[in-house]
Amino acid sequence: MHFRYDGANPRTIARYGALAAGALVVLSLLFGTGYTIDQKNVGVVSRFGAFSRTAGPGLHFKLPWVESVVEYSTATQQVAIQKSEVFTADNQGVNVTMLVQFNVPDGDVQNLYEHVPFYEQRIYTLANDRMKSAFGRRQVSDVPSARSLIESEIKADVAAQALKLYGIEVSEVQITDLDYTEAFRHAIDMMTRAKAEVTRSEQLRQQAVIDAERQQIAAQANANAAVAAAEGEARSIRAKSEAEAAATRVKGEAEADAIRAQAAALGASPNYVTYTQARRWDGRLPATILGSQPVPMMTMPVMGPMNGH
């Protein structure tokens, strides 16, 4: 038994081709019209490449082959600048690593789609340029202490320009690393030691001032005590002198009163002198009596003859 093949029937081929094309159309309609937008994203629907509308999170439909969708994240995003070399005002090189965080507002995605298709690269370039400008205004020795101030300056400048040019909100700028040259690190080490010596010298100076003040206070206290002691001694001597003078005066007045009393007694009684001599005589006669010297005698009362003799 033999089979003969005369070739494919053109009608059959056409029929199968139409069926395949119809299946493709159906599949395209099924899988090309529906799409979903994730949370914290916004979809931009374009028709033949031109902006058509935006779509929020959820399930949406579009015209197949005519419309396409591009998603934009509205969550916080960041670009990282890795070890970008900058130069300070004194021409010293520093490699800087910096992070820039930003947000894309829902209402600005159309502007980004139409005018800023590569906005992440624009933010990177803008931040890198402002970073070089901020470092270029400072001496390299001032960079470590002014790090937070440099971050604030870069953030303020980048945020203003990004909002004005792209409608993007910059929320944070952080310098994560500074890589200095070996010569600068050595200079920083020497400067740190010098500052430490200055600080130590200042502490010693302040301690010396404190010690001097303490000594001055102690000396003043000793001087005050000496003055007080001298004044007390002077008052004591003055009081003693006044007391002695008063005693002398009282004694003199007493002696004067006694003399006046004796004089008054002498004038009142002629026998007062004889009485006084008798009080002071010890009952003994002088051992030697000169020829012209009277013999001390006591006037004795004359007694009459005794009765019966």
Side-chain angles (χ1 to χ4, degrees):
M1 184 175 182
H2 297 279
F3 294 94
R4 187 179 63 181
Y5 178 69
D6 296 331
N9 190 335
R11 293 181 178 179
T12 301
I13 294 175
R15 184 168 62 251
Y16 284 125
L19 290 175
L24 290 175
V25 170
V26 171
L27 291 175
S28 298
L29 292 174
L30 290 176
F31 295 100
T33 58
Y35 65 94
T36 58
I37 302 297
D38 295 334
Q39 289 291 333
K40 294 186 178 181
N41 282 1
V42 173
V44 172
V45 181
S46 61
R47 183 172 298 176
F48 297 113
F51 176 83
S52 174
R53 62 187 182 276
T54 60
L59 177 63
H60 302 274
F61 296 93
K62 61 182 178 63
L63 297 176
W65 306 308
V66 176
E67 295 179 333
S68 60
V69 180
V70 178
E71 290 191 47
Y72 287 83
S73 174
T74 56
T76 300
Q77 305 173 60
Q78 73 177 21
V79 293
I81 301 175
Q82 298 290 340
K83 293 187 178 298
S84 177
E85 186 177 23
V86 300
F87 289 92
T88 59
D90 50 349
N91 203 33
Q92 294 293 322
V94 182
N95 291 323
V96 183
T97 299
M98 187 174 72
L99 295 178
V100 180
Q101 295 181 348
F102 61 92
N103 298 85
V104 176
D106 294 356
D108 289 327
V109 293
Q110 178 180 353
N111 177 64
L112 295 181
Y113 177 80
E114 292 178 338
H115 304 290
V116 195
F118 304 104
Y119 63 90
E120 296 95 339
Q121 183 60 41
R122 300 287 184 91
I123 294 295
Y124 179 97
T125 302
L126 175 63
N128 192 45
D129 178 71
R130 295 302 181 267
M131 178 180 67
K132 292 181 177 181
S133 177
F135 277 89
R137 292 191 294 267
R138 287 175 171 80
Q139 300 290 324
V140 68
S141 58
D142 298 330
V143 169
S145 60
R147 182 168 176 168
S148 60
L149 181 60
I150 294 174
E151 288 179 341
S152 300
E153 291 180 0
I154 296 174
K155 177 185 175 182
D157 202 356
V158 173
Q161 294 298 317
L163 187 63
K164 176 182 178 181
L165 297 176
Y166 315 130
I168 293 175
E169 300 173 350
V170 174
S171 58
E172 187 65 35
V173 170
Q174 183 179 8
I175 297 175
T176 59
D177 186 44
L178 294 173
D179 185 16
Y180 302 99
T181 62
E182 184 63 29
F184 175 70
R185 284 196 292 268
H186 178 70
I188 288 294
D189 182 63
M190 296 298 293
M191 183 176 63
T192 302
R193 294 183 181 180
K195 288 183 177 180
E197 288 297 327
V198 171
T199 302
R200 183 173 179 274
S201 299
E202 178 63 19
Q203 291 174 347
L204 292 176
R205 186 193 69 80
Q206 293 178 359
Q207 186 61 44
V209 171
I210 294 173
D211 292 341
E213 291 177 349
R214 289 177 178 174
Q215 294 176 0
Q216 182 179 4
I217 293 172
Q220 185 64 41
N222 293 333
N224 293 338
V227 170
E231 291 179 350
E233 184 177 358
R235 286 194 295 269
S236 176
I237 294 173
R238 184 168 57 250
K240 183 177 180 181
S241 299
E242 292 176 353
E244 291 176 352
T248 302
R249 184 174 62 253
V250 171
K251 182 178 179 181
E253 292 176 354
E255 291 178 351
D257 291 340
I259 292 172
R260 284 194 294 271
Q262 291 177 0
L266 180 60
S269 176
N271 296 324
Y272 179 74
V273 175
T274 303
Y275 171 73
T276 303
Q277 291 176 347
R279 287 187 58 192
R280 295 181 178 178
W281 184 46
D282 56 2
R284 292 180 294 177
L285 294 176
T288 304
I289 300 175
L290 299 178
S292 61
Q293 183 175 1
V295 177
M297 297 292 291
M298 292 184 61
T299 304
M300 303 296 291
V302 179
M303 299 183 64
M306 298 181 61
N307 295 330
H309 297 282

